[in-house]
Amino acid sequence: MSALPHEPGPRPYADPHRLEAHEGPQTPAELRAALAVISPTALVAFNAEFDAARFGAPQAEVVAKYRRTVAFATRPEVTAAIATSLDGTADARPVAELWAHLDREDRIA
């Protein structure tokens, strides 16, 4: 999908370490299309897991797992974050920052 001249282009992920709900494929059809491009094997696995999962949380878990697969395989900021983490050049986030983030999430929920 291309943006009109007055519309912003595709926005990169806000945080390469986190996949927000509004980022990436938004429907099963979009997810299947993205997986077909990345890996036919991943698409077959997704279809099997999705079809076998019960409605609700189990299906949501399957969708979340494969949305992460798409993000890891397609977003340059995600692949860059993975590469810096693996080669040891990533800045480690302090544990206090993690706990503060989790506390904020708990207060919101």
Side-chain angles (χ1 to χ4, degrees), residues 2-101:
S2 64
L4 297 174
H6 65 280
E7 295 177 334
R11 187 175 70 101
Y13 288 144
D15 182 350
H17 302 281
R18 183 179 176 97
L19 181 62
E20 300 292 338
H22 66 277
E23 297 170 324
Q26 297 295 304
T27 66
E30 289 177 5
L31 184 54
R32 284 183 175 103
L35 288 169
V37 171
I38 294 166
S39 165
T41 305
L43 175 60
V44 170
F46 167 74
N47 284 332
E49 289 181 45
F50 187 76
D51 291 344
R54 293 175 112 14
F55 290 131
Q59 261 188 347
E61 290 172 16
V62 171
V63 169
K65 173 183 172 182
Y66 285 94
R67 287 182 72 237
R68 286 189 299 272
T69 299
V70 169
F72 292 157
T74 61
R75 301 303 266 187
E77 57 272 25
V78 173
T79 54
I82 292 169
T84 59
S85 178
L86 292 175
D87 69 15
T89 60
D91 292 330
R93 291 183 172 183
V95 172
E97 183 181 324
L98 170 64
W99 289 117
H101 172 74

